[in-house]
Amino acid sequence: MQWLSNTVTRYYKTILICWLVLFIALAVLAIRLPSLLEGDGFSTNGEHQQVMDELTETFDLPAETLFIVFDRTTDETIRHTISEMEDLQIAESIQSPLDDPSLYKDHVAYAMLHFSGDTENMPEVVDKIRNAIDGEKGVTLTGGAAINKDINAASQKDLASAEAIGLPIAIIVLLLAFGSVVAAFVPLIVGIVTVVSTFGVMTLFSETMNLSIFVLNIIPMLGLALSIDFALLLINRYKEERLKQSIIDAVQTSIQTAGRSIIFSAVCVFIGLGAMLVMKVEIFQNLALGGMLVVFMAVLASITLLPSLLLLMKDRINKWTIIRVKPGASNRWRNFAAFVMKRPVALILVALIILGIGIIPVKDMKLAIPQVDSLPISYDSRQAYELMDKEFGLGEKSTVYMIAERNDGWENTDGLMTMKKLEDELLADKNVDAVNSIFTASNISTVEQWEQSMEVPEVKAQLTPLSESFVQGDKLLIPVTLNLNGSSSEAQDWVRTWSEKDVGVDTMLGGRPKFNQEIFDEIFNKVGALLAIILGSTFIILMIAFRSILIPLKAIIMNVIGLSSTFGILVYIFQYGHFGIEATSIALIIPVIVFSLVFGLSMDYEVFLISRIQEEYSKSLNNTAATIDGLTSTSKIITSAALIMIVITGAFAFTDVMPVKQIGLGIAIAVAIDASIIRLLLVPSLMKLFGKWNWWMPFRKGPYKTSKWH
């Protein structure tokens, strides 16, 4: 750190020029990012995707389908709309409710627009269709591409709303912490540079990978909060040191002390985010990449750009002072610290009881993959989809696409017998409503009848196109209709059972139930590895940082308890439907993302607090006095940093996209619990109780080995 501090103070003007050039270049790229985001990120390269690719490439099934929903319209309106769609010449085929009675029910009908081949231009297709039907009362577009486009638009709107709420409050907190306008705005400059630069780098990554639309919210949420927090810690230390040293010495000391804490806490966050890479689901890959990039940029800006700005501004950092902030620690915080030291056992019990109450609802947590309900009800695409679902019972059943492969083909007698046997086995399953095959589609019940029919030229001419829709070479397509909701655990169990079942030929399954099963299994099968990486790495890092066994162990246990309480509160708010929020399931990604993010973020305060306690302890070798001094000197800045983190992330609780709302509120609650109950009550109380054992380390070589313990 000494080399870094010397380098920054010597070449700060060069560093500022480099950052300016880098910022301008990446800002140009960042402007393009929103238009490059697509999908919700819930995709894997598993069996489901292989089957869906096969359906498009081999069996000519549409790669994408959009729905035009007609609510209380006339047949003439339907006919006119279908004609307009045909004139656009953008769909491979169109199914009209006027030709297919199954798409028409009472006052509601829907048309299906099928698209084949490259579907990357679907956002433009959605715009063209919406422009064509604009002004038609009761005519609405919905479907995957339309919903994703709306989520993208809502995410951009949410980002603007969250910034409009969070940033002004953050400025107020910074003003209260520093007193001057200039000092309050410097962290914001660092945060903006961090986020925009990360967006620019992510634009480069979009050339080689698909990026989820949720990246647009997570990167600013994390980047602004971390950057401002880091800047707050470093500027606070600089202002303390400036009272005793020259500007250059104060900057160097700040980099060597607060900068070291920033790096250690950032490494913890970095590992938490990187651990998500073990889960081969696109959204986790996206958020891990975006999160690690923004953390790296936040640290880089905090220990290079920020000190360079301080050196450039010199004492002008205090310009436009509007609040007189007393230097040093407040007597109130010292009295509070002394109060905690006198009652450690009682405060530990109170804290654990409060956190335990928060944990109780966790037992009822229900996880689900976000779907159309991610959008607010005000969006037409959600209203139209839910209307279709209600009137036509789309959610009551689901379709599984089975592709069976047989080396000797399917059009010989043995192949037909195997096909018929497989069909009969499927129909015998209580959860199967229907099976589509050459037999059910042709109303031919036996292999013998099929073969006899194929010997008649006229009949063969009629059956051949039907056969080709199910059989292509050695591959057989069997669509299976289940009497189960595609998102249900029962549907997942069904595809698990049939994936492992020996039916005499190789089979693959696709469709909504298989998609959900793969996502759930990938997460639950890898969560153990994720926890091992985060917990193990955090323990090692903190052990190295503080040369202690007990401190990292306590930190991990307290974090797990705090996060468990956070998840319980989320269940209470979202799943139980309190505080004016519509009752809904917890998004499947929330526990993983909030745990991975917050476990590292909470170490930010742990590292800062324990670093100061360790710093004081190395001088006095008195554990109680060091804990009081450390808590006194850091409580104000930790509280300010936590408030900024809470308002920046908590502002997303007022947004519309449900998973983003849950992530933002989850992080805000977790940070609030960590900075108050854990950091101000549990940590100092446990430091008091364990006394000298806080600093115990086997085979220790250093100042604590032979010193007197207190």
Side-chain angles (χ1 to χ4, degrees):
M1 294 302 293
Q2 186 171 355
W3 173 87
L4 176 64
S5 63
N6 289 334
T7 302
V8 171
T9 52
R10 180 177 298 179
Y11 302 107
Y12 73 93
K13 290 182 180 178
T14 303
I15 291 171
L16 287 172
I17 292 171
C18 290
W19 267 108
L20 180 61
V21 172
L22 181 67
F23 175 75
I24 293 172
L26 292 176
V28 172
L29 291 172
I31 296 171
R32 296 175 48 216
L33 184 63
S35 64
L36 300 174
L37 304 178
E38 57 182 34
D40 55 14
F42 283 94
S43 64
T44 64
N45 291 321
E47 191 173 301
H48 163 78
Q49 191 58 50
Q50 294 178 45
V51 169
M52 302 315 287
D53 290 342
E54 197 76 62
L55 294 180
T56 303
E57 296 169 7
T58 306
F59 294 95
D60 294 328
L61 266 68
E64 182 86 44
T65 298
L66 289 174
F67 304 90
I68 298 180
V69 180
F70 303 93
D71 183 19
R72 303 180 191 278
T73 63
T74 64
D75 288 356
E76 181 56 36
T77 299
I78 296 175
R79 190 173 294 108
H80 173 71
T81 302
I82 298 298
S83 176
E84 284 188 315
M85 295 303 104
E86 291 172 344
D87 291 341
L88 288 176
Q89 297 182 344
I90 54 177
E92 184 77 16
S93 62
I94 300 175
Q95 284 182 256
S96 169
L98 300 180
D99 301 325
D100 186 346
S102 66
L103 308 181
Y104 208 136
K105 185 176 181 181
D106 298 330
H107 60 276
V108 178
Y110 66 94
M112 293 193 290
L113 280 62
H114 300 302
F115 302 85
S116 300
D118 184 12
T119 57
E120 289 186 0
N121 65 336
M122 289 306 295
E124 291 81 5
V125 169
V126 169
D127 285 337
K128 289 180 180 179
I129 296 173
R130 282 178 167 165
N131 289 335
I133 63 175
D134 186 37
E136 289 282 1
K137 187 177 179 181
V139 182
T140 311
L141 179 70
T142 189
I147 291 168
N148 285 335
K149 184 172 177 60
D150 285 345
I151 292 177
N152 195 333
S155 296
Q156 294 183 53
K157 178 183 175 184
D158 284 353
L159 178 57
S161 300
E163 289 175 346
I165 295 170
L167 290 181
I169 301 176
I171 292 171
I172 293 172
V173 175
L174 289 168
L175 280 171
L176 293 173
F178 295 136
S180 74
V181 174
V182 173
F185 274 89
V186 168
L188 289 181
I189 293 171
V190 175
I192 292 169
V193 169
T194 296
V195 172
V196 173
S197 299
T198 305
F199 275 165
V201 177
M202 289 298 287
T203 301
L204 296 176
F205 276 99
S206 69
E207 302 294 331
T208 57
M209 63 186 297
N210 294 327
L211 294 180
S212 165
I213 51 186
F214 294 125
V215 165
L216 199 62
N217 298 108
I218 299 301
I219 287 178
M221 184 190 301
L222 184 59
L224 283 172
L226 269 181
S227 298
I228 295 174
D229 260 14
F230 290 164
L232 183 66
L233 300 182
L234 194 135
I235 292 174
N236 182 73
R237 187 59 184 254
Y238 167 75
K239 288 170 76 71
E240 286 182 11
E241 297 299 326
R242 183 67 185 93
L243 298 174
K244 302 176 289 184
Q245 304 181 74
S246 67
I247 292 173
I248 291 178
D249 290 340
V251 169
Q252 289 186 343
T253 302
S254 299
I255 294 174
Q256 292 169 19
T257 54
R260 178 179 178 272
S261 299
I262 287 169
I263 291 173
F264 269 110
S265 61
V267 168
C268 292
V269 180
F270 198 87
I271 289 171
L273 291 162
M276 288 195 289
L277 291 172
V278 302
M279 296 186 175
K280 304 304 179 184
V281 180
E282 194 174 85
I283 189 169
F284 293 124
Q285 305 285 305
N286 283 184
L287 297 184
L289 174 63
M292 289 190 294
L293 278 173
V294 82
V295 170
F296 174 78
M297 297 300 293
V299 172
L300 189 62
S302 298
I303 61 177
T304 61
L305 174 62
L306 177 57
S308 299
L309 288 171
L310 294 176
L311 288 165
L312 180 69
M313 291 185 295
K314 296 182 170 53
D315 287 329
R316 288 192 295 273
I317 186 76
N318 298 314
K319 194 173 182 181
W320 298 333
T321 297
I322 57 176
I323 300 174
R324 292 293 174 186
V325 178
K326 294 180 180 180
S330 165
N331 287 332
R332 291 181 180 179
W333 284 114
R334 183 167 292 279
N335 293 336
F336 173 78
F339 172 82
V340 173
M341 291 294 98
K342 291 178 182 178
R343 303 166 180 81
V345 175
L347 291 176
I348 288 171
L349 289 175
V350 169
L352 291 178
I353 289 171
I354 294 172
L355 294 175
I357 293 172
I359 293 173
I360 293 173
V362 170
K363 61 182 173 55
D364 299 324
M365 181 181 284
K366 293 180 181 178
L367 302 175
I369 296 175
Q371 296 181 35
V372 69
D373 55 356
S374 295
L375 274 174
I377 192 65
S378 59
Y379 278 77
D380 289 344
S381 56
R382 174 176 174 177
Q383 295 175 16
Y385 187 90
E386 291 181 341
L387 178 63
M388 272 202 314
D389 186 17
K390 177 184 176 182
E391 296 296 330
F392 295 92
L394 301 181
E396 297 172 3
K397 297 182 180 182
S398 55
T399 301
V400 174
Y401 298 97
M402 176 181 288
I403 292 181
E405 191 168 357
R406 186 172 183 273
N407 292 333
D408 296 328
W410 294 96
E411 297 180 310
N412 51 58
T413 301
D414 288 343
L416 291 168
M417 293 291 290
T418 302
M419 187 190 307
K420 184 61 179 171
K421 179 184 176 184
L422 181 55
E423 176 192 308
D424 291 341
E425 284 187 42
L426 286 165
L427 286 170
D429 191 303
K430 65 178 182 179
N431 292 317
V432 174
D433 250 13
V435 174
N436 289 338
S437 71
I438 60 173
F439 298 107
T440 56
S442 63
N443 291 321
I444 296 175
S445 57
T446 66
V447 172
E448 291 78 13
Q449 290 178 1
W450 175 269
E451 290 181 327
Q452 290 172 5
S453 299
M454 291 296 283
E455 291 176 358
V456 180
E458 293 82 0
V459 179
K460 181 178 180 179
Q462 296 176 357
L463 294 179
T464 297
L466 183 148
S467 176
E468 290 175 350
S469 64
F470 291 98
V471 179
Q472 289 290 328
D474 56 359
K475 292 183 175 64
L476 168 69
L477 168 62
I478 305 180
V480 182
T481 303
L482 305 180
N483 51 26
L484 302 170
N485 186 299
S487 300
S488 67
S489 58
E490 292 82 6
Q492 293 179 39
D493 291 338
W494 190 92
V495 293
R496 283 192 196 97
T497 300
W498 277 88
S499 292
E500 298 170 0
K501 199 167 187 176
D502 183 8
V503 294
V505 291
D506 294 332
T507 60
M508 293 194 304
L509 300 178
R512 172 60 62 176
K514 181 64 178 176
F515 167 79
N516 287 343
Q517 175 256 312
E518 287 182 344
I519 297 290
F520 271 85
D521 286 359
E522 178 67 18
I523 292 175
F524 285 107
N525 291 341
K526 299 289 181 64
V527 71
L530 179 138
L531 292 175
I533 292 171
I534 294 176
L535 299 183
S537 301
T538 301
F539 180 86
I540 293 170
I541 290 168
L542 293 183
M543 183 180 68
I544 293 171
F546 300 119
R547 292 187 294 169
S548 166
I549 293 293
L550 199 56
I551 285 175
L553 192 61
K554 287 189 300 180
I556 288 172
I557 293 172
M558 286 187 290
N559 266 15
V560 170
I561 293 173
L563 282 166
S564 299
S565 187
T566 298
F567 294 142
I569 296 171
L570 285 179
V571 170
Y572 179 82
I573 294 173
F574 289 99
Q575 200 170 301
Y576 294 175
H578 288 97
F579 304 109
I581 292 177
E582 178 188 1
T584 184
S585 299
I586 304 297
L588 180 61
I589 58 174
I590 300 303
V592 175
I593 292 176
V594 171
F595 185 92
S596 299
L597 283 175
V598 174
F599 201 90
L601 288 174
S602 61
M603 288 303 166
D604 188 10
Y605 310 124
E606 177 79 13
V607 168
F608 190 62
L609 172 58
I610 300 298
S611 292
R612 288 304 292 265
I613 293 175
Q614 185 185 44
E615 205 175 310
E616 298 299 327
Y617 183 78
S618 67
K619 300 174 186 175
S620 66
L621 298 179
N622 185 313
N623 182 73
T624 300
T627 302
I628 291 175
D629 289 341
L631 187 62
T632 301
S633 60
T634 61
S635 291
K636 178 183 176 182
I637 204 66
I638 286 179
T639 303
S640 299
L643 279 173
I644 288 171
M645 184 74 71
I646 290 167
V647 298
I648 293 293
T649 58
F652 285 86
F654 300 97
T655 57
D656 291 331
V657 179
M658 188 56 69
V660 175
K661 185 192 291 282
Q662 292 180 353
I663 291 172
L665 192 57
I667 294 174
I669 292 170
V671 170
I673 289 174
D674 185 82
S676 57
I677 298 175
I678 292 177
R679 214 56 56 203
L680 297 181
L681 297 179
L682 279 177
V683 170
S685 296
L686 290 170
M687 291 294 290
K688 170 66 176 178
L689 276 186
F690 285 101
K692 66 179 183 179
W693 296 107
N694 288 304
W695 310 106
W696 178 77
M697 180 76 177
F699 315 111
R700 175 188 288 276
K701 292 182 181 180
Y704 307 151
K705 183 179 179 182
T706 57
S707 60
K708 184 179 179 181
W709 298 87
H710 295 269

